Amino acid sequence: MGLRKAGVLGATGSVGQRFIQLLSNHPQFELAVLGASSRSAGKKYKDAVDWKQTSLMPAAAGEIVVSECTVEAFKDCDVVFSGLDADYAGPIEKAFKEAGLAVISNAKNYRREKDVPLVVPTVNSEHLAIIEKRVKDAAAAGQKRPGFIVCISNCSTAGLVAPLRPLVDKFGPIELLTTTTMQAISGAGFSPGFPGIDILDNLVPYISGEEEKIEWETKKILGEIADDGNSVKNLSDDEIRVSAQCNRVAVSDGHTECVSVKFKNGAPSIDAIKQCLRDYQCEATLLNCPSAPKHAIHVLEEQNRPQPRLDRDRDNGYGVSVGRIREDPVLDVKMVILSHNTIIGAAGSGVLIAEILAAKNVI
Amino acid sequence: MGLRKAGVLGATGSVGQRFIQLLSNHPQFELAVLGASSRSAGKKYKDAVDWKQTSLMPAAAGEIVVSECTVEAFKDCDVVFSGLDADYAGPIEKAFKEAGLAVISNAKNYRREKDVPLVVPTVNSEHLAIIEKRVKDAAAAGQKRPGFIVCISNCSTAGLVAPLRPLVDKFGPIELLTTTTMQAISGAGFSPGFPGIDILDNLVPYISGEEEKIEWETKKILGEIADDGNSVKNLSDDEIRVSAQCNRVAVSDGHTECVSVKFKNGAPSIDAIKQCLRDYQCEATLLNCPSAPKHAIHVLEEQNRPQPRLDRDRDNGYGVSVGRIREDPVLDVKMVILSHNTIIGAAGSGVLIAEILAAKNVI
Amino acid sequence: MGLRKAGVLGATGSVGQRFIQLLSNHPQFELAVLGASSRSAGKKYKDAVDWKQTSLMPAAAGEIVVSECTVEAFKDCDVVFSGLDADYAGPIEKAFKEAGLAVISNAKNYRREKDVPLVVPTVNSEHLAIIEKRVKDAAAAGQKRPGFIVCISNCSTAGLVAPLRPLVDKFGPIELLTTTTMQAISGAGFSPGFPGIDILDNLVPYISGEEEKIEWETKKILGEIADDGNSVKNLSDDEIRVSAQCNRVAVSDGHTECVSVKFKNGAPSIDAIKQCLRDYQCEATLLNCPSAPKHAIHVLEEQNRPQPRLDRDRDNGYGVSVGRIREDPVLDVKMVILSHNTIIGAAGSGVLIAEILAAKNVI
Amino acid sequence: MGLRKAGVLGATGSVGQRFIQLLSNHPQFELAVLGASSRSAGKKYKDAVDWKQTSLMPAAAGEIVVSECTVEAFKDCDVVFSGLDADYAGPIEKAFKEAGLAVISNAKNYRREKDVPLVVPTVNSEHLAIIEKRVKDAAAAGQKRPGFIVCISNCSTAGLVAPLRPLVDKFGPIELLTTTTMQAISGAGFSPGFPGIDILDNLVPYISGEEEKIEWETKKILGEIADDGNSVKNLSDDEIRVSAQCNRVAVSDGHTECVSVKFKNGAPSIDAIKQCLRDYQCEATLLNCPSAPKHAIHVLEEQNRPQPRLDRDRDNGYGVSVGRIREDPVLDVKMVILSHNTIIGAAGSGVLIAEILAAKNVI
């Protein structure tokens, strides 16, 4: 199969720029359509965007003429990545799905739909099976490929669940989970983005809606596919209680989280936990997806690590670092988790989800 | 009584500079002796110090000739404030105490001695009674005033316990307590202090010894005076379990803590907690101590507060701010606490302790 | 005379908040009317504003019901301070002036009008004479007091000219002047203000319109009143050439400028320059204006000063610091100037201008 | 020829770490010997170093046992890169040279020796001819290859001269040159490095010795080889006057400079200057050196560029960015220059110098 045609919705925004960066020179995808608001449509991308990435704008992307975010403009895309703001994503993504398009979205709008997988690709790619089933059922019935939406998780949730999945698989359910996050400002986008005066010699102990997202999404991502194979069944409040406290700090990229967990079946040893995390291999790695990290989890032994500036780029931002794993006097175990919020926590996960779907011939 | 003569040990360091700033133009104390290393001794203070406070060096202090940290140099002081590093504080403070001097120390060396009060002056000034008793007993026995040491608590512990004390007084024991701190770099002193490259676009999820200090000191500060009136009896591990995770962030002054608590006797309502904190008046305020805050606790209702840059200076840094008080899905209640680490968390507490001792005629 | 009634236009914005902070508990002015957009009008100020100052919102100001920016609402004000954005200031300030109101404006709209004084109050308060004359002429003619506008200079210009004025007075004209500024982000306001992602581990070597303002306004502020007494005559391009390079850096408050000058009549000695600056006393100080700095210029001898965090608050932000005065291999003399951009560079200057006008019975 | 054996002096320091990063997996050099203080000697590098680079420590380097900085330990090296502090570099580098070793040094100690080339490899690699001559003369005389020292320029000088060289070549001498620098903290090393408290919400308008280095080194780098071919002849004070003002700002990597120049023969047009800079190709590029930038100079047209965070990594840090080229009312032309201080301004230049020497068979 040749290169799959990829479209990007919200191409001039923060997440959209990251999608473009990751999709340029991609071995499986070809950047075909860039969609943005009518203010940008009709201009060359390089004239429409205020490019704020630390690597230069890919030259070919810069020459693409920006389209409006219509089904018509994207109709030939094999996959569409959505970096749209939640204010706009709802009807556009729905229309794209109904038109038979494959949408991978960073927006929060459809994350809570039972038949929409909410995926951190190094964690719960098995939830994509509900899409795979739908596509195969349609093929078996002689119908054309159905459209669908796959949602990327909230950024701070992605980092949190990354090490929890192998722990739950090996040691059984986690019943109590607390996280205090220290989140990068890039997660706030940049139109206008997070104000400088609020972050200079300061931090803000509140991010609108973030704690609720972590507390809810964790239960879906750690849940299982329902018996009918068509939806995801969340963990219940009885199975796990999650508490998040979210803060914005003066870091550009990289969310750090101080996490404590209590296991239902008793605490494993610290060494057993480290070994479990070191041994973990995610499906994307086993499938040889191009962006899959060599190590989905990096266990750090230095007592003052992970640090965002030094560790956020491990495995190109797809590797999550876990350090300071130690006993917790209140719950069982505490640790520090660092994840790259715009890679594993946003656009990067979108691209890796698409690679998994491609490996499974769903797109 | 006229002005009491005050000495400062470690006068050129970070804590020492704060002591000097707070003691200049003080209504009860007169800056009499400044002690530093032999490298500085013999120089005028203004020539010995690299003054790094945001207010100008008090002119009179600048003219004082620095002494070495000997009993002889400080023998006429009514009170000696120690900003010495722990590496030096041990034998010097001991010698001062044995020579009959009243020492109020920011160093950690004697905090764990049972007969040394560990005091946050807006929280557990009643622990000073063991000193008051010793002084009165000596006077009754016709002996000269005995020397003593009072320890200022660790900075992040001070902010943590500030709102806990009134809650425990009203609602009974706290049995589980977690805090994740985001601490200012001024707490690391400045010789050389915290490296710039470690804090720019970064945070460090580790502060040597800090978590142990919080977990231990909280149990002493919330403890009671023993029956004999001569020592402090810590809370036991059975009575309270404390878990701390400590981080250094890009903030100059002001420690922020995300705290959760579980009450032994069941959770009070959020409104009851707020009211309890709003009603709290500390002894120093009732004694009309000059530096006592009007409100030892400020309850903030804005959802994105407290913030270090905006709230650290409430009541000149003696007021601790508490915001985002809300239910916690894992323990009972969570909240965000902000305290000024160099005021209520260090030198400022030292000065307020001295004011309380003065009000009680102990110095 | 009792307290003069003061109004503030643009009261919820960055400059407006500073005006309110400075006018609360002012010995000469009473905060009477707060004007903002129709979105805020009708609400109590405390409910309309996102207060971002490091001191708490003055309680009385918080209770004032916000008005729209109409002449009717402000008609009883003795003086109106305008913190309006340039996008709105033009017609509103004009209407206020025509209605006989005394307007002191931070907006750039009328700075280039010949009959509008452009004033840094510690530098060229003598330019206010053209207003004084107009008011007196009207009084002599039996007319009611005419309205007028006085403009506050651009923030980085204010710091630049502060030490130049005494130097020109003593050593004669400066013919060449270069400045490279490193400006605080508070100067960019905060709706939305300067983006955090642009300032974290970064600087931006461009501020829209700023270099042109410095190059033009310097010539007006250092100019003289025309012979007719009714307007200000700028220095010509032949008399002085000015070159500015402006940068935004990660500082909250305080503009630092690296400045070089060449004198027409030959270079004075470094010592003579320092002495001249130390001796300088501005008119506002001589008039005993309440906000006037004790020293309009502070000459610093430490080789690594001035620094924004340590020196911006000298004389409550009305004192400008000058350090590193030394010979320049290209022009004559180079130096580093630090000024508080929201005090002497904006709202603070507005208040001090009003105090000078009050001292001269112009308002 | 196989891989040349490379040694690194000061391997645990800031510059040393960069050398190791750049020499790992280098196509021409093999990391053979790592030298550090006796405190580190005997340990594996990974146990001796506090690695602070944003990329992971090269695994092979981590296993090398650290040596002391003796000739004996380095005697088999084809080239030795010195990242030693100036306090130690003097005698060690001299001994190495006298022992016949090829030393490329980042230290300042020998920069002012007439027979030591001071080289920015994208600017004045022709100065290496004095080494080439010495080596060839020795070979012709049947002597063994003589030792030598080549000095890397000061970091802020490197960025400054990068665009000046092509301008001088095309438009003739520059007679006046001013630069105001805003320098990254990584330039201050990290033992202890630049203090965090000095850079948070702050800048420091002074860097010890830096202005003198810029003013002196520029004259050597822009100078020519003397007639005898054995030394470099600096430009005289009559030929060029240079004035520098140096500041430390809150940036991790990347020095920004606001520069003005006056040409002896009259000002070229802005367009001509841009074209000249765009056309420039340095010798290292023409020699196909592995690290040579594709473009030694990048001319940026966006009015708010270059910015350190966005532009410092152009051509892996070997490309210098020049923006805002415009007329200067005082001199002829002003511009903003950005260079990566630890690549083109330090270790990176060392490696590229070695590549040039290798291309010329000098090492």
Side-chain angles (χ1 to χ4, degrees):
Chain A
M1 181 166 183
L3 293 178
R4 288 163 181 84
K5 284 187 194 304
V8 175
L9 290 165
T12 56
S14 168
V15 178
Q17 290 185 23
R18 273 286 191 193
F19 274 129
I20 287 164
Q21 195 179 36
L22 294 167
L23 292 169
S24 292
N25 301 313
H26 192 282
Q28 299 180 322
F29 302 109
E30 171 192 12
L31 210 49
V33 190
L34 302 182
S37 71
S38 54
R39 200 176 56 248
S40 297
K43 297 181 189 167
K44 283 190 179 180
Y45 183 67
K46 68 180 179 188
D47 299 323
V49 72
D50 182 12
W51 185 260
K52 292 209 176 185
Q53 306 304 310
T54 57
S55 67
L56 296 185
M57 188 191 307
E63 298 301 320
I64 296 178
V65 175
V66 176
S67 304
E68 298 212 35
C69 295
T70 60
V71 167
E72 178 60 24
F74 286 76
K75 68 177 191 301
D76 295 330
C77 290
D78 296 296
V79 59
V80 177
F81 298 92
S82 170
L84 289 171
D85 280 348
D87 292 348
Y88 302 99
I92 295 174
E93 294 181 0
K94 186 162 180 246
F96 274 51
K97 173 193 172 179
E98 290 176 352
L101 288 164
V103 178
I104 299 175
S105 171
N106 192 58
K108 69 180 179 188
N109 307 58
Y110 296 107
R111 287 182 191 160
R112 298 196 178 200
E113 300 293 311
K114 282 190 180 308
D115 62 349
V116 171
L118 177 62
V119 176
V120 183
T122 60
V123 173
N124 66 327
S125 55
E126 76 275 10
H127 286 191
L128 293 171
I130 66 177
I131 302 295
E132 196 177 357
K133 175 171 183 293
R134 213 176 307 160
V135 168
K136 287 188 177 160
D137 288 352
Q143 298 161 343
K144 75 184 193 87
R145 197 190 71 170
F148 60 83
I149 297 172
V150 175
C151 283
I152 302 163
S153 89
N154 170 50
C155 51
S156 51
T157 311
L160 175 61
V161 295
L164 299 188
R165 160 49 42 115
L167 295 179
V168 167
D169 285 351
K170 187 164 186 81
F171 304 114
I174 287 169
E175 59 181 6
L176 297 177
L177 171 62
T178 65
T179 183
T180 298
T181 71
M182 295 171 284
Q183 301 187 215
I185 59 174
S186 63
F190 42 70
S191 305
F194 199 81
I197 199 69
D198 286 356
I199 210 61
L200 194 58
D201 190 10
N202 204 22
L203 62 86
V204 178
Y206 176 74
I207 301 173
S208 178
E210 193 78 0
E211 297 175 353
E212 293 76 7
K213 286 180 196 163
I214 292 176
E215 296 177 0
W216 193 93
E217 293 185 13
T218 297
K219 292 172 184 165
K220 181 164 183 177
I221 295 168
L222 294 181
E224 296 189 347
I225 295 181
D227 291 342
D228 62 6
N230 291 322
S231 62
V232 177
K233 190 166 154 260
N234 289 18
L235 293 180
S236 70
D237 292 352
D238 287 342
E239 290 171 298
I240 185 169
R241 278 150 55 201
V242 184
S243 176
Q245 303 209 49
C246 294
N247 302 280
R248 194 74 76 181
V249 296
V251 167
S252 65
D253 288 319
H255 287 355
T256 309
E257 308 190 39
C258 291
V259 174
S260 293
V261 296
K262 182 170 171 53
F263 291 90
K264 187 174 180 186
N265 305 331
S269 74
I270 298 302
D271 282 344
I273 286 174
K274 288 180 180 174
Q275 196 56 48
C276 167
L277 295 178
R278 282 202 187 92
D279 290 344
Y280 179 65
Q281 283 203 295
C282 68
E283 185 186 25
T285 302
L286 299 173
L287 290 170
N288 288 315
C289 292
S291 304
K294 193 168 165 199
H295 300 285
I297 309 288
H298 294 250
V299 177
L300 309 188
E301 293 288 352
E302 300 89 340
Q303 63 187 3
N304 62 352
R305 301 286 277 268
Q307 294 178 21
R309 207 172 76 89
L310 300 182
D311 297 305
R312 62 191 167 205
D313 288 328
R314 287 173 182 258
D315 279 314
N316 297 317
Y318 286 98
V320 170
S321 295
V322 184
R324 304 204 68 219
I325 304 174
R326 60 209 194 283
E327 291 183 5
D328 178 12
V330 169
L331 303 186
D332 286 339
V333 178
K334 49 187 175 181
M335 66 190 78
V336 178
I337 303 173
L338 174 73
S339 59
H340 195 304
N341 57 301
T342 75
I343 303 296
I344 194 68
S349 270
V351 172
L352 187 50
I353 289 169
E355 294 175 5
I356 297 171
L357 291 176
K360 299 187 170 187
N361 294 311
V362 178
I363 58 170
Chain B
M1 180 166 184
L3 292 179
R4 288 164 180 84
K5 282 187 193 307
V8 175
L9 290 164
T12 57
S14 168
V15 177
Q17 290 186 23
R18 273 288 190 190
F19 274 129
I20 287 165
Q21 194 180 36
L22 294 168
L23 292 169
S24 291
N25 302 314
H26 192 283
Q28 299 180 322
F29 303 109
E30 171 192 12
L31 211 48
V33 190
L34 302 182
S37 71
S38 55
R39 201 176 54 249
S40 296
K43 297 182 189 168
K44 282 190 180 177
Y45 183 68
K46 68 181 178 187
D47 299 322
V49 71
D50 182 12
W51 185 260
K52 292 209 176 185
Q53 306 303 311
T54 55
S55 68
L56 297 183
M57 187 192 308
E63 298 301 319
I64 295 178
V65 175
V66 175
S67 304
E68 297 213 36
C69 295
T70 60
V71 167
E72 177 60 25
F74 286 77
K75 66 177 192 298
D76 295 329
C77 290
D78 296 297
V79 58
V80 177
F81 299 92
S82 170
L84 289 170
D85 280 349
D87 292 349
Y88 304 99
I92 295 174
E93 295 181 0
K94 185 161 179 248
F96 273 51
K97 172 192 171 180
E98 290 176 352
L101 287 164
V103 178
I104 298 175
S105 171
N106 192 58
K108 70 180 177 189
N109 306 58
Y110 297 107
R111 288 183 191 159
R112 299 196 179 200
E113 300 294 309
K114 283 191 179 306
D115 62 349
V116 171
L118 177 63
V119 176
V120 183
T122 60
V123 173
N124 67 326
S125 55
E126 76 275 11
H127 286 189
L128 294 171
I130 66 178
I131 301 296
E132 195 177 356
K133 176 171 183 295
R134 213 176 306 158
V135 169
K136 287 187 177 161
D137 288 353
Q143 299 163 342
K144 75 182 192 89
R145 197 190 71 169
F148 60 84
I149 297 173
V150 175
C151 283
I152 302 163
S153 87
N154 170 52
C155 52
S156 51
T157 311
L160 175 62
V161 296
L164 299 187
R165 161 46 43 111
L167 295 179
V168 167
D169 285 350
K170 185 163 189 81
F171 303 114
I174 287 169
E175 60 181 6
L176 298 177
L177 170 62
T178 66
T179 182
T180 299
T181 70
M182 295 172 285
Q183 300 186 217
I185 59 175
S186 64
F190 43 71
S191 305
F194 200 81
I197 199 69
D198 287 355
I199 210 60
L200 194 59
D201 190 9
N202 204 23
L203 62 87
V204 178
Y206 176 73
I207 302 173
S208 178
E210 192 78 359
E211 297 175 354
E212 293 76 7
K213 285 180 196 165
I214 293 176
E215 295 175 1
W216 194 93
E217 294 186 12
T218 296
K219 292 171 184 165
K220 180 164 182 177
I221 295 169
L222 295 181
E224 296 189 348
I225 295 181
D227 291 342
D228 63 5
N230 291 321
S231 62
V232 176
K233 191 166 154 259
N234 289 19
L235 292 180
S236 71
D237 292 353
D238 288 342
E239 291 171 297
I240 185 169
R241 279 150 55 202
V242 184
S243 177
Q245 302 209 50
C246 294
N247 303 279
R248 194 73 75 182
V249 296
V251 166
S252 64
D253 288 319
H255 288 355
T256 309
E257 308 190 38
C258 292
V259 174
S260 293
V261 296
K262 183 170 171 53
F263 291 89
K264 188 176 180 187
N265 305 330
S269 74
I270 299 302
D271 282 345
I273 286 173
K274 289 180 181 175
Q275 195 57 47
C276 167
L277 295 177
R278 282 204 187 91
D279 290 345
Y280 180 64
Q281 283 202 296
C282 69
E283 185 187 25
T285 302
L286 299 173
L287 289 170
N288 289 314
C289 292
S291 303
K294 192 167 166 200
H295 301 285
I297 309 288
H298 293 249
V299 177
L300 309 189
E301 292 288 352
E302 300 87 342
Q303 64 187 359
N304 63 352
R305 302 287 278 267
Q307 294 178 21
R309 208 172 75 89
L310 300 183
D311 297 306
R312 61 192 168 204
D313 287 329
R314 287 174 183 259
D315 279 315
N316 296 317
Y318 286 97
V320 170
S321 294
V322 184
R324 304 203 69 217
I325 305 174
R326 60 211 194 281
E327 292 184 4
D328 178 12
V330 169
L331 303 186
D332 286 339
V333 177
K334 50 187 174 180
M335 65 189 81
V336 179
I337 303 174
L338 174 73
S339 60
H340 195 304
N341 56 302
T342 74
I343 304 297
I344 194 69
S349 271
V351 172
L352 186 51
I353 288 168
E355 294 175 4
I356 296 171
L357 292 175
K360 298 185 171 189
N361 294 312
V362 178
I363 59 172
Chain C
M1 179 165 184
L3 293 178
R4 288 163 181 84
K5 285 188 191 305
V8 175
L9 289 164
T12 57
S14 168
V15 178
Q17 290 185 23
R18 272 288 191 191
F19 274 130
I20 287 164
Q21 194 179 36
L22 295 167
L23 291 169
S24 291
N25 301 312
H26 192 283
Q28 298 180 324
F29 302 109
E30 171 193 12
L31 210 48
V33 190
L34 302 182
S37 72
S38 54
R39 201 176 53 250
S40 297
K43 297 181 189 168
K44 283 190 179 178
Y45 183 67
K46 68 180 178 186
D47 299 323
V49 72
D50 182 11
W51 185 259
K52 292 209 176 186
Q53 305 304 310
T54 56
S55 67
L56 297 184
M57 187 192 309
E63 299 300 320
I64 295 179
V65 176
V66 175
S67 305
E68 298 212 35
C69 296
T70 60
V71 167
E72 177 60 22
F74 287 76
K75 67 177 192 301
D76 295 331
C77 290
D78 295 296
V79 59
V80 177
F81 299 92
S82 171
L84 290 170
D85 280 348
D87 291 349
Y88 303 99
I92 295 174
E93 295 181 0
K94 185 161 180 249
F96 273 51
K97 172 192 171 179
E98 290 177 352
L101 288 164
V103 178
I104 298 176
S105 171
N106 193 58
K108 70 180 178 188
N109 306 58
Y110 297 107
R111 288 183 191 159
R112 298 195 179 202
E113 300 294 310
K114 282 190 180 309
D115 63 349
V116 171
L118 176 63
V119 176
V120 183
T122 60
V123 173
N124 66 327
S125 55
E126 75 275 11
H127 285 190
L128 294 171
I130 66 178
I131 301 295
E132 195 177 356
K133 175 171 185 294
R134 213 176 305 159
V135 169
K136 287 188 178 161
D137 288 353
Q143 298 162 342
K144 75 183 192 83
R145 198 189 71 170
F148 59 84
I149 298 172
V150 175
C151 282
I152 302 163
S153 88
N154 171 50
C155 52
S156 52
T157 311
L160 175 62
V161 296
L164 299 188
R165 160 48 43 113
L167 295 179
V168 168
D169 284 351
K170 184 161 188 82
F171 304 114
I174 287 170
E175 60 181 5
L176 298 176
L177 170 62
T178 66
T179 182
T180 298
T181 70
M182 294 172 285
Q183 300 187 215
I185 59 174
S186 63
F190 43 69
S191 306
F194 200 81
I197 199 67
D198 287 356
I199 210 60
L200 194 59
D201 190 10
N202 203 23
L203 63 85
V204 178
Y206 176 73
I207 302 173
S208 178
E210 192 78 359
E211 297 175 354
E212 294 76 7
K213 286 180 196 165
I214 293 175
E215 296 176 0
W216 194 92
E217 293 185 14
T218 296
K219 292 172 185 165
K220 180 164 183 178
I221 295 168
L222 295 180
E224 296 190 347
I225 295 181
D227 291 343
D228 62 6
N230 291 321
S231 63
V232 177
K233 189 163 156 261
N234 289 17
L235 292 180
S236 71
D237 292 352
D238 287 343
E239 290 171 297
I240 185 169
R241 278 151 54 203
V242 184
S243 177
Q245 302 209 50
C246 293
N247 302 279
R248 193 75 74 181
V249 296
V251 167
S252 64
D253 288 317
H255 287 355
T256 309
E257 308 190 38
C258 291
V259 173
S260 292
V261 296
K262 184 170 170 54
F263 292 89
K264 188 175 180 186
N265 304 332
S269 75
I270 299 302
D271 283 344
I273 286 173
K274 288 180 181 175
Q275 196 57 48
C276 166
L277 295 177
R278 282 203 187 91
D279 291 344
Y280 179 63
Q281 283 202 295
C282 69
E283 186 187 24
T285 302
L286 300 173
L287 290 170
N288 289 314
C289 292
S291 304
K294 192 166 165 199
H295 300 286
I297 308 288
H298 294 250
V299 177
L300 309 188
E301 292 289 351
E302 300 89 340
Q303 64 187 0
N304 63 353
R305 301 286 279 266
Q307 294 179 20
R309 208 173 74 90
L310 299 183
D311 297 306
R312 61 191 167 205
D313 288 329
R314 286 173 183 259
D315 279 314
N316 297 317
Y318 285 97
V320 170
S321 294
V322 184
R324 303 202 70 216
I325 305 174
R326 60 211 195 280
E327 291 184 4
D328 178 13
V330 169
L331 303 187
D332 287 340
V333 177
K334 51 187 174 181
M335 67 190 78
V336 178
I337 302 173
L338 173 73
S339 60
H340 195 305
N341 56 301
T342 75
I343 303 296
I344 194 69
S349 270
V351 172
L352 187 51
I353 288 168
E355 295 175 4
I356 296 171
L357 291 175
K360 299 187 170 186
N361 294 313
V362 178
I363 59 171
Chain D
M1 177 166 187
L3 293 178
R4 288 162 181 85
K5 283 188 193 304
V8 175
L9 290 164
T12 56
S14 167
V15 178
Q17 290 187 21
R18 273 288 192 190
F19 274 130
I20 287 165
Q21 195 180 36
L22 294 168
L23 291 168
S24 291
N25 301 313
H26 192 283
Q28 300 179 323
F29 302 109
E30 171 193 11
L31 211 48
V33 190
L34 302 182
S37 70
S38 55
R39 201 177 55 248
S40 297
K43 297 182 188 166
K44 283 190 179 178
Y45 183 66
K46 68 180 178 186
D47 299 322
V49 71
D50 181 12
W51 185 260
K52 293 208 176 185
Q53 306 304 310
T54 56
S55 67
L56 297 183
M57 187 191 308
E63 299 301 319
I64 296 178
V65 175
V66 175
S67 304
E68 297 212 36
C69 296
T70 60
V71 166
E72 177 61 23
F74 285 77
K75 68 178 191 300
D76 295 330
C77 289
D78 296 297
V79 61
V80 177
F81 298 91
S82 171
L84 290 170
D85 280 348
D87 291 348
Y88 303 98
I92 295 175
E93 294 181 0
K94 185 161 180 247
F96 273 51
K97 172 192 173 180
E98 290 176 353
L101 287 164
V103 179
I104 299 175
S105 171
N106 192 59
K108 70 180 179 189
N109 307 58
Y110 297 106
R111 288 183 191 158
R112 299 195 178 201
E113 299 295 308
K114 282 191 179 308
D115 63 350
V116 171
L118 176 63
V119 176
V120 183
T122 60
V123 172
N124 66 326
S125 55
E126 76 275 10
H127 286 190
L128 294 171
I130 67 178
I131 301 295
E132 195 178 358
K133 175 171 185 294
R134 214 176 306 158
V135 169
K136 288 187 177 161
D137 287 354
Q143 299 163 341
K144 75 185 192 86
R145 197 190 71 170
F148 59 84
I149 297 172
V150 175
C151 283
I152 302 163
S153 87
N154 171 52
C155 51
S156 51
T157 311
L160 175 62
V161 296
L164 299 188
R165 162 45 44 113
L167 294 179
V168 167
D169 285 351
K170 185 161 188 86
F171 304 113
I174 287 170
E175 59 180 6
L176 298 176
L177 170 62
T178 65
T179 182
T180 298
T181 70
M182 294 171 286
Q183 300 186 217
I185 59 175
S186 64
F190 44 70
S191 304
F194 200 81
I197 199 69
D198 287 357
I199 210 61
L200 194 60
D201 190 10
N202 204 22
L203 63 86
V204 177
Y206 176 73
I207 302 172
S208 178
E210 192 77 359
E211 297 175 353
E212 294 76 7
K213 285 180 196 164
I214 293 176
E215 295 176 1
W216 193 92
E217 293 185 14
T218 296
K219 292 172 185 165
K220 181 165 182 177
I221 295 168
L222 295 180
E224 296 189 346
I225 295 181
D227 291 343
D228 63 6
N230 291 321
S231 63
V232 177
K233 191 167 155 259
N234 289 17
L235 293 180
S236 71
D237 292 351
D238 287 343
E239 290 170 299
I240 185 169
R241 278 149 57 200
V242 184
S243 176
Q245 303 209 50
C246 294
N247 303 279
R248 194 73 76 182
V249 296
V251 167
S252 65
D253 288 319
H255 288 354
T256 309
E257 307 191 39
C258 292
V259 173
S260 294
V261 297
K262 182 170 171 54
F263 291 89
K264 188 175 180 187
N265 305 331
S269 74
I270 298 303
D271 283 344
I273 286 173
K274 289 180 181 175
Q275 195 56 48
C276 167
L277 295 178
R278 282 204 187 90
D279 291 344
Y280 180 64
Q281 284 203 294
C282 68
E283 185 187 25
T285 302
L286 298 173
L287 289 169
N288 288 315
C289 293
S291 304
K294 193 168 165 199
H295 300 285
I297 308 287
H298 293 250
V299 177
L300 309 188
E301 292 288 351
E302 300 88 341
Q303 64 187 1
N304 63 352
R305 302 286 278 267
Q307 294 178 21
R309 207 172 76 89
L310 300 183
D311 297 305
R312 60 192 168 204
D313 287 329
R314 287 173 182 258
D315 279 315
N316 297 317
Y318 286 97
V320 170
S321 294
V322 184
R324 304 204 68 217
I325 305 174
R326 60 211 193 281
E327 292 184 4
D328 178 12
V330 169
L331 304 186
D332 286 341
V333 177
K334 50 187 174 180
M335 66 190 78
V336 178
I337 302 173
L338 174 74
S339 59
H340 196 304
N341 56 302
T342 76
I343 304 296
I344 194 68
S349 270
V351 172
L352 187 51
I353 288 168
E355 294 175 4
I356 296 170
L357 291 175
K360 298 185 169 186
N361 294 312
V362 178
I363 58 172

